[in-house]
Amino acid sequence: MSDSGEYAPSDNSIPDKLTSKTSFLSLKLYIVIGILLLCAVSVFVAIFLFIRLKKNSRNRIVKMRVKHSSGLIPLVSKEIVEIKALDRNVNSVKAEDKIGNKDFKEPEEIKIEIDEIVKGGKGGGGGEKSGGSDASGGSRSDVSVEAENIGWGRWYTLKELEVATRGFAEDNIIGEGGYGVVYRGVVNDGSVVAVKNLLNNKGQAEKEFKVEVEAIGKVRHKNLVGLVGYCAEGAQRMLVYEYVDNGNLEQWLHGDVGPVSPLTWDIRMKIAIGTAKGLAYLHEGLEPKVVHRDVKSSNILLDRKWIPKVSDFGLAKLLGSEASYVTTRVMGTFGYVSPEYASTGMLNEGSDVYSFGILLMEIITGRSPIDYSRPAGEMNLVDWFKGMVASRRGEELVDPLIEVQPSPRALKRALLICLRCIDLDANKRPKMGQIVHMLEADDFPFRSELRSAREKDPHPSRADNVSAKITYPSKNGGDGDRWR
Ligand SMILES: Nc1ncnc2c1ncn2[C@@H]1O[C@H](COP(=O)(O)OP(=O)(O)OP(=O)(O)O)[C@@H](O)[C@H]1O
């Protein structure tokens, strides 16, 4: 204020100060303040983002840990690739056989029968009807309805499964596959189950759910993971399986198991035989037959006695007994899919046989079907395997983590079975039932040895003659015991 009482701005008024130049690059004060404010905001945003990112990654790690909560089951990273393209280019098949060895068959022309009729989902819809629930998309909204016995298993209420999994707690997550999260649960009769909470989209997951429930519900076999029930309420679709408590084969083959694998040669062959029996039952013991379509090591669950149980029938489709069919969408896992299925979508049990051949190679070698971390010539298991057999280096194929080597004849037999399974001509591949016998025949002496034994002993024991006796199952509509 001036003496006269009038307002006279002093030299040091705030606006003047703001517009005065500072020593910092001769910028005016308000600009410097602006820059400082901007810096402070940026730092704040950066810190906020950093904290959020850290929290997310911690969550992910926690989830990874609970995946295999027993701690005894080795962890592996998985690469699941769904092949969607219906690539009809047979060149990809020709490229398959690159080694040019005369011992191996030249790829043959693949005839695409476009007129083949798609025959999926022919199960008759018995499963959910007998339970009085509507698994086909119509919702079973009455949560209070008691769980029902549906002949082959049970219809579970959502509430029951919520209780069983303690509210679908993260701690109970066993793992996550392409079709949803799998939880460990204890249902009210005290039994432990695996609850597969299917993704809730209206498309594939629901379709697969119907297929699984209708086709697989009644299938019972020692080497197949049993479906013990399901839940269909509102948009929720869940499958309840028997719980298999020793992880899956992929984890034991490719996880960190130390310098010596607990999977000895004999255990590996036992796993291969059990898996083959499970698949043989699907192909040859059921009418209509079931093609698995996604045979791979992560779908082979193991119990504490190393008994294998083939899981994940989400991709299975029912087939008419004589028919093969063309699907509009090729599904399966990269590295295991047969060339004809990948290139034409033609599907029959021969595709499973091919995948089983790859699985057997994986069991023998301990190597993944595709492994980009290996040298160029070894990335593709099939190519490397064929090359090694062709150059008579079969012994080098055996997983170095196997301590006690197999006998040369046991190894030779297993290698030959692999090669027969991946024959490019699907018609020449053996049936799963034959593979069971070929693998089991390894327990018995070869003919030449039998002959020399007979010469020594004219009255051989019964066991010596078993190898000559090969019986095949009749299609009797589901006698699982035949294959046990
Ligand atoms: N019945 C079961 N008992 C114990 N563990 C199971 C059972 N079913 C699945 N799992 C485990 O849950 C995890 C997810 O299985 P899921 O079958 O959903 O997917 P995946 O086989 O890993 O992949 P994909 O969906 O491509 O087949 C795997 O680690 C599997 O071993």
Side-chain angles (χ1 to χ4, degrees), residues 67-68 78 80 174-180 182 194 196 225 241-245 247-248 251 294 296 298-299 301 311-312 333:
K67 245 182 153 177
H68 311 291
K78 292 200 301 183
I80 297 164
I174 308 169
E176 194 171 345
Y179 291 90
V182 182
K196 189 180 275 192
V225 179
Y241 289 100
E242 66 171 298
Y243 182 75
V244 188
D245 63 353
N248 63 51
Q251 291 165 325
D294 200 14
K296 58 177 174 177
S298 72
N299 277 339
L301 305 186
S311 84
D312 211 345
T333 300

Side-chain angles (χ1 to χ4, degrees), residues 86-372:
L86 191 65
D87 179 8
R88 292 173 188 269
N89 182 1
V90 290
N91 288 340
S92 60
V93 181
K94 289 189 171 153
E96 219 274 303
D97 194 351
K98 278 188 273 196
I99 59 169
N101 187 295
K102 61 178 164 36
D103 289 347
F104 296 111
K105 294 165 187 76
E106 281 298 308
E108 294 191 12
E109 279 289 313
I110 291 186
K111 293 191 183 74
I112 307 161
E113 293 174 44
I114 299 167
D115 295 340
E116 288 281 0
I117 306 151
V118 177
K119 280 202 169 184
K122 218 179 105 183
E128 78 274 20
K129 272 190 191 143
S130 59
S133 62
D134 180 5
S136 63
S139 65
R140 178 96 187 211
S141 53
D142 185 3
V143 183
S144 66
V145 178
E146 280 303 302
E148 292 168 38
N149 194 306
I150 46 176
W152 52 266
R154 284 190 64 192
W155 175 76
Y156 287 92
T157 62
L158 186 57
K159 222 182 210 168
E160 265 188 303
L161 296 184
E162 256 168 19
V163 173
T165 57
R166 289 191 287 119
F168 299 101
E170 270 216 359
D171 285 359
N172 282 13
I173 295 177
I174 308 169
E176 194 171 345
Y179 291 90
V181 180
V182 182
Y183 297 85
R184 185 183 183 277
V186 181
V187 286
N188 42 15
D189 68 357
S191 52
V192 184
V193 293
V195 180
K196 189 180 275 192
N197 188 1
L198 298 173
L199 298 170
N200 268 335
N201 59 45
K202 286 256 175 225
Q204 199 63 34
E206 187 180 321
K207 258 195 214 159
E208 301 303 340
F209 175 79
K210 276 177 68 184
V211 170
E212 289 203 46
V213 170
E214 290 170 16
I216 306 305
K218 289 167 192 157
V219 176
R220 287 287 178 270
H221 187 279
K222 183 184 175 184
N223 299 113
L224 298 174
V225 179
L227 187 64
V228 297
Y230 72 101
C231 168
E233 256 180 46
Q236 297 288 349
R237 301 283 180 273
M238 293 181 205
L239 294 169
V240 184
Y241 289 100
E242 66 171 298
Y243 182 75
V244 188
D245 63 353
N246 200 19
N248 63 51
L249 182 59
E250 185 195 40
Q251 291 165 325
W252 286 106
L253 286 176
H254 310 304
D256 184 8
V257 293
V260 176
S261 170
L263 301 183
T264 61
W265 176 264
D266 287 349
I267 290 175
R268 289 178 196 226
M269 288 305 111
K270 178 177 159 176
I271 292 170
I273 291 167
T275 303
K277 282 182 178 175
L279 293 173
Y281 182 56
L282 291 178
H283 292 178
E284 299 163 39
L286 296 172
E287 184 64 54
K289 66 185 140 195
V290 172
V291 175
H292 187 290
R293 299 214 296 175
D294 200 14
V295 176
K296 58 177 174 177
S297 55
S298 72
N299 277 339
I300 311 302
L301 305 186
L302 298 167
D303 75 4
R304 301 272 163 187
K305 292 179 184 161
W306 303 114
I307 293 174
K309 290 174 185 274
V310 179
S311 84
D312 211 345
F313 300 92
L315 301 173
K317 295 276 181 216
L318 287 183
L319 291 183
S321 54
E322 296 306 318
S324 59
Y325 67 93
V326 180
T327 57
T328 50
R329 182 168 175 262
V330 178
M331 296 169 77
T333 300
F334 191 46
Y336 292 91
V337 176
S338 68
E340 77 278 3
Y341 183 25
S343 61
T344 70
M346 279 289 288
L347 172 71
N348 59 30
E349 63 270 42
S351 323
D352 280 354
V353 172
Y354 181 94
S355 306
F356 178 83
I358 303 293
L359 179 77
L360 189 56
M361 287 182 186
E362 194 179 349
I363 289 174
I364 295 168
T365 62
R367 295 191 178 204
S368 299
I370 305 288
D371 186 349
Y372 294 113

Side-chain angles (χ1 to χ4, degrees), residues 65-86:
R65 280 203 193 115
V66 291
K67 245 182 153 177
H68 311 291
S69 51
S70 81
L72 295 169
I73 300 163
L75 283 167
V76 281
S77 64
K78 292 200 301 183
E79 191 184 48
I80 297 164
V81 181
E82 198 174 84
I83 299 163
K84 286 187 180 155
L86 191 65

